[in-house]
Amino acid sequence: MMRYIFSCLLFLACTAIGQTPKSKTYTVSSPDGSIRVYVNVGEKMAWSVAKNNQPVITSSGIALQLGTGEVIGNNAKVTSSAVKPFSETIIPVAYKKDRIVNGYNQLLLRCKTDYDVEFRVYDDGAAYRFVTHRPGEMEITNEVCSFNFDRDYSLVVPYVNAPRKDDKYSCSFESFYAETSLSKLNKDTLAYLPLLVKLQGSMKAVILEADVQDYPGLFVQPAMHDKEYSMQAVFAPYPIEEGLAGYNGIVYQVKKRAGYIAAVQGSRNFPWRVVVVSASDKELLNSDMVQKLSEPCKIENTSWIKPGKVAWDWWNDWNISKVDFKAGINTITYKYYIDFAAANHLEYVVLDEGWSDDWDLNKLNSNINLPELVAYARQKNVGIILWSTWYAITRNADALFAKYAEMGVKGFKIDFFDRDDQKVMSSIYELASLAAKHQLLIDYHGIFRPQGLQRTWPNVVNFEGVRGMEYMKWNADERVPQYEVTIPFIRMMAGPLDYTPGAMRNATKGNVQSNSSMPLSAGTRCHQMALYVLYEGALQMLSDNPTAYMKEQECTDFIAAIPVVYNNTLALDGSVGDFAVIARQNGASWWVSGITNWNERDVTIDFSFLPSGNYEAEIFRDGMNANKDATDYKKEKVVVDNSSKLNIHLASGGGFVMRVSPR
């Protein structure tokens, strides 16, 4: 009877993905059997994904179109197929946990004309990629990659924000999320990944890509065919003419593009196309999928990679007070930032835009004695990180990295990429490799979301690719708290994010204002503090100025003590766009935090994740008057054990953060 039921289910699945008499369907399931992938090979190749017999992705075509006219994937002749289980333990560097169990079942289809298609199915998702084995080079004119669904599901999707009129593929990747549906996906612009699909019941799917090397990133738009509930991939064509323009003339923009998306080696792995599936929202808070699918670490000795926190100048406009010197981009101001970092045990200080010429990093600002600052910081056990545009650093990256590494600089914050075509994708790997050669950290800013580079080159300690708190300087949008409780379920699935939290001036709903020199945050003080635990990033900025932090030393001491890497991470509770609660272990202590949107709510912390014994929880929570004064907070200490449950009230735009340590 069970064999009959299975045969019926398989027949229905094959019918759903369009099997014809001349086609064949291959199947592979996740280790726990909950997720099943069907691959139909015939005139065209397509895959579909189901979880617990519910459709996730319905029959969706996959192919590579070559400049020769050949379409890899069409009329495929499978010479062998094999399903094998795999399991390994990954030891990541500078990550939210110290080990990742990478268990999956693989279907490998070897095809005539020298290519494979590899499918991996995990308990929480599935992925596929093409692998080619050909001599010479290939020109990829397009990739067929669609995501078809069985009904008009809701989407949470970021659209390309203010694209250039003459190049729709150029943007900063810093958009709010739009809530729409598959049938109403905007046809007049592109959307980018990750994006979330709300499936039946509480099930969600997040579409991602991983291990994108020497290849453009993936945009989506409504599919241009008869299927109603479908998205198709779009890729930026290769840039063949560029020039400086944009913000202050420092953005290296594309003026003309080729008729192909990539020119690649004939033997290579192509990027993974990924769907992560969750039964509950909170599962999305703790995904390792991108790490699992990306190329292993290429740095043999990673001991020099030192994660940490950063005193940052730009967001707070160098606006310190109660000093007897003119604050600004000068040596004495940066010594003050270094002193502040040392006093609060912060590992780094960033010198943002202004320390050098924006186009030539060999031309220093005459108001700054950089060697003196680096030496001064070294005496204080503080590292210096320098800002650069992508254009400036790529004039001669190896020589520039060598020069400043020899001086004692610890890393670079590289900004204004504003595109994700093949040239930029190749560049970020090359820069990471060159920086590692000189033992330099990299923080990529003004860039797309991470896609696995952080596993391969873990000296890349953070990525932007998010509408960070910098926008509060000039655009105080009250959608921010909802955005901040959406990011962890979608954007953070791709990897770390340089959101730059830490505002000590905080505003309630209706009182949020932009201010370039004294910016504030939307939401409460404890909401800001909670972001340091909730948001992943091995390099975390303290965005406000030293004066503000010294006025709020109790909060500053706590923020400074929060780790940036962990031994373990647990998702405790959450709902996309509503609230998120997470716990992270560092040594014997656990750090727990949560935030909400503008809606007040109560959350209950169940401490059953603790080992046996008694613990002291040091808690910063919203004060009784935080709905009127967003800076109001209460600090308290309570004793808990693994049988304890603690109710915490979150104010409008509120949050909490705690350190739980053995007594």
Side-chain angles (χ1 to χ4, degrees), residues 512-582:
V512 181
Q513 299 178 1
S514 60
N515 189 317
S516 181
S517 191
M518 299 184 70
L520 44 71
S521 71
T524 69
R525 169 73 55 75
C526 289
H527 183 109
Q528 283 290 299
M529 296 174 67
L531 296 180
Y532 285 98
V533 175
L534 180 62
Y535 287 175
E536 297 167 17
L539 196 71
Q540 289 279 19
M541 307 285 177
L542 271 72
S543 298
D544 223 322
N545 64 54
T547 303
Y549 286 121
M550 287 187 280
K551 288 179 180 177
E552 302 286 353
Q553 194 63 48
E554 185 174 60
C555 295
T556 303
D557 288 343
F558 193 86
I559 291 170
I562 297 173
V564 294
V565 295
Y566 296 89
N567 302 112
N568 198 12
T569 289
L570 298 174
L572 299 185
D573 203 358
S575 173
V576 176
D578 296 323
F579 74 104
V581 183
I582 206 160

Side-chain angles (χ1 to χ4, degrees), residues 351 354-365 368-375 378 383-388 392-393 396-413 434-435 438-442:
L351 275 62
W355 69 273
S356 72
D357 181 86
D358 282 344
W359 301 271
D360 186 347
L361 300 185
N362 289 306
K363 296 180 180 179
L364 302 187
N365 185 329
I368 289 179
N369 186 326
L370 187 60
E372 180 183 340
L373 281 175
V374 172
R378 185 188 300 115
I384 295 295
I385 295 173
L386 301 176
W387 177 92
S388 170
I393 198 68
N396 193 345
D398 195 28
L400 289 166
F401 284 155
K403 173 181 178 177
Y404 289 109
E406 184 178 2
M407 187 184 294
V409 168
K410 299 301 182 184
F412 277 83
K413 175 183 176 181
L434 289 173
H438 299 288
Q439 297 195 351
L440 291 170
L441 304 179
I442 296 292

